[in-house]
Amino acid sequence: MGDLRPLLTRTAHVLGWKEMGPQGNRLRAARHDDSGEAFMETGILIRWGAPRPGREKDSLDLFQKSVDYYRGLVADGKLGYFEPFMLGSGDSEIETGFFIIKGEVTQVFELLDDQQHRDLMAQGSVLVEHYRFDMLAVGESIKRWVGDYKRGLSAAGV
């Protein structure tokens, strides 16, 4: 994997994080606790709908393979959090379930570059309907987002 520093530094600027930390592989939160050691987290939301016709068994196999993979990354300390969710109501054709994945920014960006993760994502797009992922603002970055929204309201005279 190539050097992620330029991409992380640009992302840090957009989301209000400080430059690379003293360890060289972590981004510090722009706002951190008194110890100064709170590192910025980010997350990924992966969601999916019904299996494509004829792919039901393959989609269940992919679900289990994905759960095992992401739980393994958490156990190995390469991610901070993973949890699968299945929806008990709503339109299961469009959205049947989702994963929430969280970690330090560098961990999540390394995951996005990981071949096994990319293979799982590609398989998901083939096996199930409405397969997608979104980046999440979590922790300290939510405070910045709320502050930006308040300033936007004020600027709009609302």
Side-chain angles (χ1 to χ4, degrees), residues 70-127:
Y70 296 120
R71 282 188 176 153
L73 292 177
V74 171
D76 292 344
K78 295 179 179 178
L79 287 174
Y81 175 86
F82 165 75
E83 190 71 34
F85 296 86
M86 300 301 287
L87 299 175
S89 62
D91 184 350
S92 63
E93 183 70 27
I94 295 174
E95 195 161 42
T96 302
F98 58 93
F99 297 145
I100 293 180
I101 300 168
K102 290 188 342 181
E104 291 181 10
V105 171
T106 52
Q107 291 176 326
V108 172
F109 274 78
E110 287 171 3
L111 174 68
L112 294 176
D113 194 46
D114 180 79
Q115 187 64 55
Q116 188 171 352
H117 167 76
R118 293 194 333 260
D119 289 348
L120 292 171
M121 296 295 291
Q123 292 169 36
S125 68
V126 170
L127 298 176

